Amino acid sequence: MKKYVLLLCTGLFLPFFSVLNAASGENDIIRGHGARAVGMGGAFTAVADDTYAYYWNPAGLVFARKAAAGGYYDSVFGGRKINFGFNFVYPVEEGMAFSAAYARSVFWGTEFLDDVLYLSYGTYLDDFKKFALGVNFKAIGRSAPAYGLSGGTL
C-alpha cells in the first residue's frame, strides 16, 4: 500500500515540476547527451535505457546491467557553443543503479560557462518491475550558483 501511495504522489507532482522546467527545454535538445537520444529529438525520454538515462529520464537507470561510462562532445552554432561531458553508471543490484555525470557548455568569445554535476538514482517501485522511479540532483555553476531537482517514471 505504501508503494502505491508513493506512486500516486509521484504521478501527481512530477507533471508540476516538468511544467516549471519547461522554459529550459529548448536547451535540452541542443545539448548532446547521447547520440541516440539527440537523434530521437527528445523522444528518448520514454525509452531511456543506456548510460545517458541520467539526463533524459533517470528512471531508465534501472536497465543498467553492468557498470558503464560514456562521454560526448558536440559543437553547435558554427562552433560558437561547445558542449562536452562524461558520465558513469553503477548498478548496485538488478533494477537499482546510481549515476554521476559532469557536463560543460562553453560559448566562445564570451565569459559564459555552464557547468552541471548530476547525481542520479533509479529503482523499481514494485516487485513485478512495471514501475520505476528516478531522481536527479543537479549542481549548476553559472554566473550565480543554482541547484535543481528532477525525476522521471517509467
Side-chain angles (χ1 to χ4, degrees):
M1 182 66 180
K2 190 176 184 181
K3 289 183 181 181
Y4 293 112
V5 171
L6 177 63
L7 184 62
L8 178 66
C9 290
T10 302
L12 292 175
F13 290 111
L14 279 182
F16 172 73
F17 291 119
S18 296
V19 169
L20 291 178
N21 196 33
S24 65
E26 68 277 2
N27 292 330
D28 292 346
I29 304 304
I30 293 174
R31 289 187 177 183
H33 294 257
R36 179 176 167 222
V38 173
M40 293 177 72
F44 185 71
T45 301
V47 295
D49 61 355
D50 66 11
T51 58
Y52 298 101
Y54 74 91
Y55 184 79
W56 297 95
N57 185 350
L61 292 172
V62 300
F63 297 116
R65 300 289 179 244
K66 58 184 177 179
Y72 73 92
Y73 172 88
D74 69 17
S75 175
V76 293
F77 304 125
R80 301 283 300 161
K81 181 180 181 190
I82 294 177
N83 305 304
F84 61 91
F86 56 88
N87 67 307
F88 179 74
V89 177
Y90 182 75
V92 179
E93 60 185 51
E94 186 177 343
M96 181 187 301
F98 288 97
S99 176
Y102 171 76
R104 174 172 259 199
S105 294
V106 179
F107 285 90
W108 293 110
T110 70
E111 297 178 14
F112 181 77
L113 291 176
D114 185 8
D115 293 307
V116 184
L117 174 66
Y118 298 87
L119 299 175
S120 309
Y121 171 75
T123 188
Y124 281 110
L125 293 176
D126 61 340
D127 295 332
F128 302 108
K129 298 182 179 179
K130 288 188 176 184
F131 301 101
L133 175 70
V135 293
N136 254 343
F137 175 77
K138 301 174 208 170
I140 304 166
R142 290 186 176 156
S143 57
Y147 300 94
L149 181 66
S150 65
T153 58
L154 285 177

